[in-house]
Amino acid sequence: MISLEDWPCAAVRNADLAARTTLKVGGTTPLLLEPGDPEELRRAVTWVRERGFEVRILGGGANLIIADGEVPGPVIATDRIRRAFRYVPFELRMDLGGSREEEEADPFVEVQPRQHFPESEPTPRLVAWAGASMPGLVGMSKRLGWSGIEGLAGVPGSIGGGVAMNAGGSWGDLWDAVERVRVIDETGEFKDLLRADCQPSYRNGNLGGAIVAGVVLEFEPSHPRVVDEEVRRYLLHKRQVQPVTEQSAGCVFKNPDPELSGGRSAGQLVDEAGLKGRTRGGAQVSEKHGNFVVNRGGATAADVLALIEEVRQEVASRFGVELATEVKLWGV
Ligand SMILES: Cc1cc2nc3c(=O)[nH]c(=O)nc-3n(C[C@H](O)[C@H](O)[C@H](O)COP(=O)(O)OP(=O)(O)OC[C@H]3O[C@@H](n4cnc5c(N)ncnc54)[C@H](O)[C@@H]3O)c2cc1C
C-alpha cells in the first residue's frame, strides 16, 4: 500500500493504464502521478525513489506493452508537462530587458517576448517539455517553416519518450535535431546533456536511466510550404506501409544486424516466415507490416506477449536470427 502523505503532484489512485497506451492493453497502477511541469516531475521522481520503487515514466504509451494486472508501484505520466515554445535568443532577451544571468539561468523557462521574433533566425530552436507531443511539434515546425523533424510525421508519442527511444526511421533519428536535453539524474537533480554526452544509437537515447524533463530542438530555416510537402510525403509513405489506423505499439522488434539476417529487416523475416496474420486471442501480426502486432479488439497483454514469443521462436528456428524487442515491456 502506497502511503499518500506529501503528495508531490496531482495523482489518481488505481488508474487504468491500457487507455494510456496506443496498443490499448495492460492493467492498472496503484498510483498514477501526474506532474504539471518539469519541477513537479523532478519532485515526483524523487518521491518514488525515496519510497524504494522503480521509476516508471509513461509518455504517450506508443512503444509500450504493459502486463495485465497491477504494475507493482507508481507510474509517472508526463502528458500534463506538454509546453512547447520558441527559444528566445540571447539578443532578444536583452532587448526585452533580460540579462545574461537570466539566459544562463534557464532556457527551459518560457520568456514572454513583448515583440516579434526576428524575420529569420540562423539557428531556430524550439524548447519542448517532456510531455509535448511529437506530432504537435511536427505541426509547430511546419507552421514556422523550420526543417529538421519532418521524418517524425506520423510517429506518435511524447518528445521525452522519443528522446529516450531515439525515435527514427530511414530518414534519420530524432537525436539529429536535438541540441540539448535536460534530464533528472540519479541524484534527483537537473542536468543538461548534449548529444556528445549521450552518444545515442539505434532506438536508444542512451540516457543511462536518466529521466527527460525537456529538450531543445534545433532546426534549419526553410519555408512552411516546403516543410509541409515533406511532412505529407512521410505521412503518405507511412500510411502505405504501416497499419496506422489500427491499435499497435509500433515496431515490436529491432532490426537485426544485417550481416546475420542477410540484410533483411525484422518485418521481412516475419513476412518470409509466413507469420503475417498469425493470431492469438485479439492480437494479430499485422497483414500490412510483419513487425507490427495489432489489437483487433479485446486483446490482452497475455495474447500480445504470447504472439510475440511465438514469432520470435519461429524466426529463430527458421533463420537462426534472435530478434530483440524494440517495444518496452512493463511488469513482464
Ligand atoms: C503507429 C505507430 C507508428 C510508429 N512509428 C515509429 C517510427 O517510425 N519510428 C520510431 O522510432 N518509433 C515509432 N513508433 C513508436 C513510438 O512512436 C516511439 O517509440 C515513441 O518515441 C514513443 O514515445 P512515447 O512517449 O509514447 O514513449 P512511451 O511508449 O510512453 O515509453 C517508451 C519508453 O520511453 C520511456 N520514457 C517515456 N518518457 C520518458 C521520459 N520523459 N524520460 C525518460 N524515459 C521516458 C518509457 O519509460 C519507456 O521505457 C510508432 C508507434 C506507433 C503506434
Side-chain angles (χ1 to χ4, degrees), residues 22 41 56-64 78 130 134 154-169 171 203 207 210-213 238 242-244 246 248-251 292 326 328 330:
T22 51
L41 174 63
R56 293 182 199 275
I57 307 288
L58 175 65
N63 216 199
L64 205 51
T78 60
M134 289 197 281
V155 180
S158 68
I159 194 74
V163 166
M165 297 294 304
N166 194 15
W171 51 273
R203 298 302 156 266
L207 296 169
I211 311 302
V212 179
K238 259 190 170 290
Q242 292 182 0
V244 293
E246 295 181 80
S248 80
C251 284
F292 279 63
E326 174 181 321
K328 298 292 175 189
W330 280 4

Side-chain angles (χ1 to χ4, degrees), residues 109-232:
V109 172
E110 184 168 14
V111 176
Q112 295 296 334
R114 290 184 293 271
Q115 65 183 73
H116 292 299
F117 282 92
E119 198 55 35
S120 67
E121 287 170 60
T123 321
R125 275 165 285 181
L126 283 177
V127 180
W129 289 358
S133 96
M134 289 197 281
L137 289 164
V138 172
M140 265 178 103
S141 70
K142 201 169 73 170
R143 283 190 297 281
L144 290 160
W146 296 353
S147 171
I149 57 170
E150 296 90 325
L152 283 181
V155 180
S158 68
I159 194 74
V163 166
M165 297 294 304
N166 194 15
S170 52
W171 51 273
D173 296 328
L174 169 59
W175 267 89
D176 298 341
V178 170
E179 188 223 73
R180 79 182 96 156
V181 176
R182 174 157 299 177
V183 297
I184 299 157
D185 68 11
E186 66 284 357
T187 67
E189 295 304 321
F190 287 125
K191 187 165 149 189
D192 287 1
L193 300 174
L194 302 175
R195 186 188 166 90
D197 299 320
C198 300
Q199 312 216 339
S201 56
Y202 171 59
R203 298 302 156 266
N204 182 0
N206 213 12
L207 296 169
I211 311 302
V212 179
V215 181
V216 179
L217 296 169
E218 206 170 58
F219 297 85
E220 293 281 332
S222 180
H223 189 281
R225 190 172 32 76
V226 178
V227 179
D228 184 41
E229 272 168 20
E230 277 290 276
V231 166
R232 281 170 194 271

Side-chain angles (χ1 to χ4, degrees), residues 78-99:
T78 60
D79 63 344
R80 288 182 62 235
I81 318 174
R82 47 188 316 132
R83 300 269 314 123
F85 46 88
R86 286 178 73 163
Y87 182 94
V88 180
F90 177 62
E91 306 73 40
L92 193 53
R93 288 189 184 217
M94 295 301 280
D95 287 353
L96 295 171
S99 64

Side-chain angles (χ1 to χ4, degrees), residues 2 6 14 50 60 66 69 109 120 125 127 175 182 202 209 234 241 289 291 310 312 314:
I2 300 169
D6 308 325
N14 301 320
E50 280 174 357
I66 302 175
V109 172
S120 67
R125 275 165 285 181
V127 180
W175 267 89
R182 174 157 299 177
Y202 171 59
Y234 282 112
V241 300
H289 193 309
N291 203 5
E310 199 174 313
R312 222 180 51 76
E314 286 209 27

Side-chain angles (χ1 to χ4, degrees), residues 34-54:
E34 297 191 290
D37 62 29
E39 175 54 26
E40 277 195 358
L41 174 63
R42 197 186 66 77
R43 291 213 304 268
V45 168
T46 304
W47 191 90
V48 168
R49 282 189 182 139
E50 280 174 357
R51 280 153 185 79
F53 292 108
E54 187 182 329

